[in-house]
Amino acid sequence: MQPEQLKGLLEQVKNNDITVDEAVERLRHLPYEDLGFACVDHHRQIRRGFPEVIYCPGKTAEQIVEIFSSLARKGNNVLATRAEAEVFEALAQTGRFPQARYEKAARAIVLEQKKLEPSKSVLPIVTAGTADLPVATEAKVTAEIMGQRTELICDVGVAGLHRLLGQLEKLQKANVIIVVAGMEGALASVVGGLVSCPVVAVPTSVGYGASFEGLSALLTMLNSCAAGVAVVNIDSGFSAAVTATLISKKIEQKSN
Amino acid sequence: MQPEQLKGLLEQVKNNDITVDEAVERLRHLPYEDLGFACVDHHRQIRRGFPEVIYCPGKTAEQIVEIFSSLARKGNNVLATRAEAEVFEALAQTGRFPQARYEKAARAIVLEQKKLEPSKSVLPIVTAGTADLPVATEAKVTAEIMGQRTELICDVGVAGLHRLLGQLEKLQKANVIIVVAGMEGALASVVGGLVSCPVVAVPTSVGYGASFEGLSALLTMLNSCAAGVAVVNIDSGFSAAVTATLISKKIEQKSN
Amino acid sequence: MQPEQLKGLLEQVKNNDITVDEAVERLRHLPYEDLGFACVDHHRQIRRGFPEVIYCPGKTAEQIVEIFSSLARKGNNVLATRAEAEVFEALAQTGRFPQARYEKAARAIVLEQKKLEPSKSVLPIVTAGTADLPVATEAKVTAEIMGQRTELICDVGVAGLHRLLGQLEKLQKANVIIVVAGMEGALASVVGGLVSCPVVAVPTSVGYGASFEGLSALLTMLNSCAAGVAVVNIDSGFSAAVTATLISKKIEQKSN
Amino acid sequence: MQPEQLKGLLEQVKNNDITVDEAVERLRHLPYEDLGFACVDHHRQIRRGFPEVIYCPGKTAEQIVEIFSSLARKGNNVLATRAEAEVFEALAQTGRFPQARYEKAARAIVLEQKKLEPSKSVLPIVTAGTADLPVATEAKVTAEIMGQRTELICDVGVAGLHRLLGQLEKLQKANVIIVVAGMEGALASVVGGLVSCPVVAVPTSVGYGASFEGLSALLTMLNSCAAGVAVVNIDSGFSAAVTATLISKKIEQKSN
Amino acid sequence: MQPEQLKGLLEQVKNNDITVDEAVERLRHLPYEDLGFACVDHHRQIRRGFPEVIYCPGKTAEQIVEIFSSLARKGNNVLATRAEAEVFEALAQTGRFPQARYEKAARAIVLEQKKLEPSKSVLPIVTAGTADLPVATEAKVTAEIMGQRTELICDVGVAGLHRLLGQLEKLQKANVIIVVAGMEGALASVVGGLVSCPVVAVPTSVGYGASFEGLSALLTMLNSCAAGVAVVNIDSGFSAAVTATLISKKIEQKSN
Amino acid sequence: MQPEQLKGLLEQVKNNDITVDEAVERLRHLPYEDLGFACVDHHRQIRRGFPEVIYCPGKTAEQIVEIFSSLARKGNNVLATRAEAEVFEALAQTGRFPQARYEKAARAIVLEQKKLEPSKSVLPIVTAGTADLPVATEAKVTAEIMGQRTELICDVGVAGLHRLLGQLEKLQKANVIIVVAGMEGALASVVGGLVSCPVVAVPTSVGYGASFEGLSALLTMLNSCAAGVAVVNIDSGFSAAVTATLISKKIEQKSN
Amino acid sequence: MQPEQLKGLLEQVKNNDITVDEAVERLRHLPYEDLGFACVDHHRQIRRGFPEVIYCPGKTAEQIVEIFSSLARKGNNVLATRAEAEVFEALAQTGRFPQARYEKAARAIVLEQKKLEPSKSVLPIVTAGTADLPVATEAKVTAEIMGQRTELICDVGVAGLHRLLGQLEKLQKANVIIVVAGMEGALASVVGGLVSCPVVAVPTSVGYGASFEGLSALLTMLNSCAAGVAVVNIDSGFSAAVTATLISKKIEQKSN
Amino acid sequence: MQPEQLKGLLEQVKNNDITVDEAVERLRHLPYEDLGFACVDHHRQIRRGFPEVIYCPGKTAEQIVEIFSSLARKGNNVLATRAEAEVFEALAQTGRFPQARYEKAARAIVLEQKKLEPSKSVLPIVTAGTADLPVATEAKVTAEIMGQRTELICDVGVAGLHRLLGQLEKLQKANVIIVVAGMEGALASVVGGLVSCPVVAVPTSVGYGASFEGLSALLTMLNSCAAGVAVVNIDSGFSAAVTATLISKKIEQKSN
């Protein structure tokens, strides 16, 4: 599907290294593993720069264990998000992944079996309040398994602006910043207005009634008067971390 | 309906100053004037401290002129909000209100025929952007016809926080502040976090698509992490001004 | 960040009382305490006239206990809202706050260690129904820890208007009134139409299906035809109380 | 399709008055007239007690004229709602309906060619404001063409309760009341709480931004704490009038 | 508050039967009983034709028992809706209301201590499906405690129209009909199109995902192309029953 | 109600085979069975080609058992959807349906007592992720009890397009395809763009916060830029299966 | 991209009929024509069975003319939907497409330059009201340009069920039916409950306020209690026609 | 407000280069220019790396001309977005900005008076359809005035995937990609799944009814199953361009 791969394959066919039927087969079946209930995308590491990640809700513990095993067999680091403690227990009981650990605050299962070169830059993950920590922690765990160093800056919401200003130097040095905020989500705009790097904003479902499960913070962030703010799904620390890490990687890659 | 009035009336009945039937009549018919298509509430000035105001949309020019006349006859100041220029022209053509003026930016018709004592305090009306000016001007006109002095502080949104900080001293002196903001509406929280007086926040319908005609700013303001912020209807400079002026009046009244 | 403070600091620098680096440090680190997962804003009492309040949802019991301790150390009164009974038990087990009490109806933890001068005025907190009581009680507890005297007026919704009219005299004497109502939330408009002081309206999530968790009452209150009504978040007795108390304080402050 | 008719038809078949094929034909084709673009339901008068009414939006002037003619041919009164002035002109130009008149405020075309016995009772149509008049007038025109006498009671919204109380006697005598209100729509609950008859509530799209084109008033009315209030579509004076008149007719019918 | 009562009172004052102060007192305190957390509206029976009903959600069992006792003391029938089984147990344990019974399907507590004359007419309560039965049962219990005879017609939704047609005769005889339907709620329109009496429609929260907790059925019913359909709140069998019974009573009252 | 039946009945009446009263009776009572709380539509098999299916939510276990029995007595296959395990246990305890089985993943109870001719074609049921499997399984069970052969193709969402392309041949052979997807639901458009048969799309409630319980996927599918995609209710594997099977049956029926 | 094509291409490479670079070029550039502002998908006819259709909103007249020309050059029939009259005039002025015609009611431009074999079956397009005709006409035009014969059945909504029953025979013979309805959209369920073929439902934006531009009808149709109903976008006669025609073609194709 | 600036200022004070009062003045008034109705943020260029941009809606032509002049005086490039043609004419008539040009498709006014070094990288701006071009052009104009080279790739939506695959090589080389899509917005997920760089997604308001003015595409993009996709406001090409350019600049800056 990627031009280079396709070209290589066509060359092999031309040179009679493989038959036409073999080429078609290879194109169709190679890059993923069909478990019946899941098609594990082993090709994602090559294509996107990070392996497939297991989103647990709606999957049975048995299914998660099998997908986890399939991914782990390739030697990559493995991440399962939104995992209940029972899922980790089911995984632990197999005895196959003694290195796997459960990050309770982030509800994530992490298996680091390949040591990645840590990034030069540090990614600030800023939260408006303490209640935004679970989402921020999911972002932290996700970024770190992709090799990105992070720093949590907690509870610096706009109700007490000086707390944020005290962290300004760190923020102004960053390549990209993650801002995690519920309630009215104004922190993203305020941070965005103070720095020259892009901001990835995560609305959270923290708040009183009219936060409507994160809708309020989501709309605030989308309507940010400070340009340079892009938004991910409500409570999706995972998605913010992948976006921010992809940005950060591009920067470090180019600067080598 | 008000205990004092009721008591007074009952006394008159007891003293045979009026008959029972007259008393019932008075209770029913006195405090408003029935124009057929409108019941002008002349009693509002006494009960609430400011006269009835004409909200123009959905009324014909003829109806507005008649209600205007009914209110003006009592000698009070008269305000008509959301008035198209044609309405003012219809009013002008009657030749009856040479003092009436049309405030274009606010789309308001103003008739000041009774000079009110200007308030001691000044009410700051703060806007996030220039596009919020029509709503802020409606607030300004409304407050002033109620005798409240005001000061417009324009375009100090959170994308450039230093513009707001430059106005901080004025804001910290105020009894109450009106904040007018569209887009993400974060200014209300930021102002609310910096002052010790109540903030009346007006969301505006200014913004790109996902502002959903002011819904975004409305939710932001309702979810403000800075307590002490109360919210009025989208684009309703009028409503904010009445609330803020009532607060301000209570303060000046008590401090005499 | 406040002009006066900044000016004072600059004077100290000029007089060589402190070095430039010390001044920068002071500006950044002084007014809050960083607990890692929370930045407790000890400066809020000075800036806003009331201390930071702990909003419990999304925080662990351990985090709440630490923030509570940090605030209590300053000698201020401490309030934690939306606290489950387990949180209070965790706090009680530390043995450090024997005076702290749990207000069950309001789901609030209250520590009064500084006796505030009680306000001269009494703040009426009016509910449409008995089911609105938990929200009204949160408002009551919040106002009282800020030194504001209150009176609950319960279950006077518009389905039986005479119940409200019986309380009219009290309402007409108030500086500001809190109205708490779910279902259709019409009480705020009716009260607003009868008094000359501002009304702070709290929509509640009480009601049948199409109340949509308080959305119905929220929209009603925002659209109130009685000007002078400002609205806070759904079920947020806390926010209403802060707003109303700030108004009330301004009045009593001026009238001294 | 109605048991009696079906029974009659079956009797005719049995008696050989008509053939089986004729019976099937009659069942299928009798009660409506197919104009190609419309199936005019001439049977509605018998089945429901009032003739089909033409809802104009989305229909061309030509289509409306043809449907109007089809209904008029049967000798019934004809009503076309939401008709722009151009539609009436097109109708007038045919010269076929000299008695037809255009009710501008209601945007309705009315043809009264059959004098109905006027109802004994009078239906009060109450509006919160003057801007609700167009909807109230649609209700008035609709009720009257069905023979129901009406009385408009305008601009008695809850911002000045005494205006409503002045009309209480009339309301307490009614068999059923229509309440028309925009903005927060609280009037329906207040009226509902004061009378012993059912209330048909019509939310209107009158109001500032957060009225969301009538959604606010709609939700208010659905959530009315005063039982006995039933609601029709936003701005649908027509629908309210039909419901109220059906109720009224049942009452007068039984009391004969 | 009612003109007749007011007039009577004024007469008494004039005749010196009571003092002015007594009259004011009477006006304020007579018609309800203040329990502190609730103002029981004993006057509602006179004003509206049915006693106040206890809506249980958000009230504690203790509060419900007290309000129940207050209402029962007047000798009226008492109804508590949305009552969990525990509430009934708390009531039973007081031993004070041996006649009270718990209607499980409707989640209602019923105390019939005054035998009402049963209505002549029968009110059909029609459901689209079996899952709509709890709401329909609430309607049935409510109507019956107001003296209205009812008949449940279950599971005749539009997926099998012949089931409805089989009940047509009953429906065409009714004074008013309640239609209870979830999912797409089309039954209300279909019934409305077949009868000449008003239809009170109750949307229910029964359905797959996009029923959005009853919103789908609610909108369907509001937009009914069959005029004469009025709508009450989602799942509110209670509200439908009160409306329908008020209609029915007016009819029977007039026909005597 | 069906023309042919009606004609037959009329013939019988004409021939005096049955009386008129009997005919009316037959028309009304024949095609369903009234259980009091449910009208089981035995006629549906003839009219629509598949028997009535029991949607369990909101029904008591007793009601479900009775409806199940009523349907089973006719000798048809029986399906109950959204059945909790307890419902199946209640059914099993009756001992009357030893062949009934519980499909746990689909939450369906299946009784196959009549062997249907399996379809020639195979219906592909494609899911975007593993978490969509419960909905896909409901579709599978439903189609199969109607005699339609199926094939599940799991976890081929657009995040790894090559997984889908590997299945392209199967999809391009199909008569109709079911696509089940949550989150952003883009799979339906992508499949729709690659095949020449219609696609029945089922949005699922799988996803992070802003999926709003399936709303996101629903809107995506409705707005599909690939024409030929039609949509059913959120999570309604049942509805998709009936639609797809009706299409498939029409095709096989005609091709015989 | 299609397996067969890919295989063919690989064979050519193997046989040295084309070079590897040529093959890659062909794969990339062959199936569409890049006009700069548009990539015309000439391959769609082969892949999907009908050519690309031009959706006009948001495109300039110049762009539409160019895309139209590009499609016409291939000799296929061309369809442009939602075309304003000006667009057709711009096209006519080029003088290049004398056969093109403008379907005013459907707002569609149609160029039939290839005579398709008319389908054996007739597709019924049923509307609830006359105002739904523009959408139904778009469906008609779309189906016919794909070779599908159609029949419009207008104005048979559920307010007068007998009008629908009169058309029952036609509907019961169809392979698939399109139902077009606004307001409450109940017609889709009623038709769905009476036939054994699939129904493609199109909600329209026809209706009073709470139809919310078609949302009401959309939800109704998605929640249809009659299985076998699938839904397309609001007002999208085009999309319904493509889906229905694809179904119909599959049937006729198989039955040859 | 920025630590470095603050430190520098404090040093000046210490050295007696400026007085304390001057320092305070400078802090407050320096970085913006107060036009009365607008506070032009000249400091933004330094703080954020790009100058303030004029969002035209809600501003009068006079106001825009003045703000434009204020920004132009500083010698920077100036951009005004969402500008109607009349605004450009007003600007042109001043004769002051002969170099300013109007970009019609983007509705933007551009003044390039400072030649920026063009970026090394090229930013792909990909659209799903031709109707998305206005938004894409706004992105293009915005990026280019910030010195970022761009390439438009138009009309490669998922209804014809091969069009996108033909552009794959370009996309896989990019540092960051902007994807502009309306209707179902699926293109963002598909692109996101094929590349290793971040994707900035812009939902557009293009589409049939249920696109709800861009809500559908917005939700799709937020729920993208392909991580690495971040979203900006509906139709906000401007916001996407700023975010993407900030990312791109960080990369080029580091790689020097």
Side-chain angles (χ1 to χ4, degrees), chain E residues 208, chain F residues 53-57 79-84 106-109 138 142 238:
Chain E
Y208 273 70
Chain F
V53 166
I54 309 166
Y55 175 70
C56 295
L79 174 65
T81 63
R82 303 290 158 104
E84 300 306 322
R107 285 192 296 148
I109 302 171
E138 188 183 81
T142 303
F238 165 69

Side-chain angles (χ1 to χ4, degrees), chain G residues 165-184:
Chain G
L165 297 177
Q167 308 285 349
L168 202 52
E169 210 165 355
K170 272 181 209 161
L171 299 179
Q172 287 179 333
K173 270 186 202 153
N175 286 337
V176 54
I177 298 167
I178 291 175
V179 174
V180 183
M183 293 184 166
E184 94 276 57

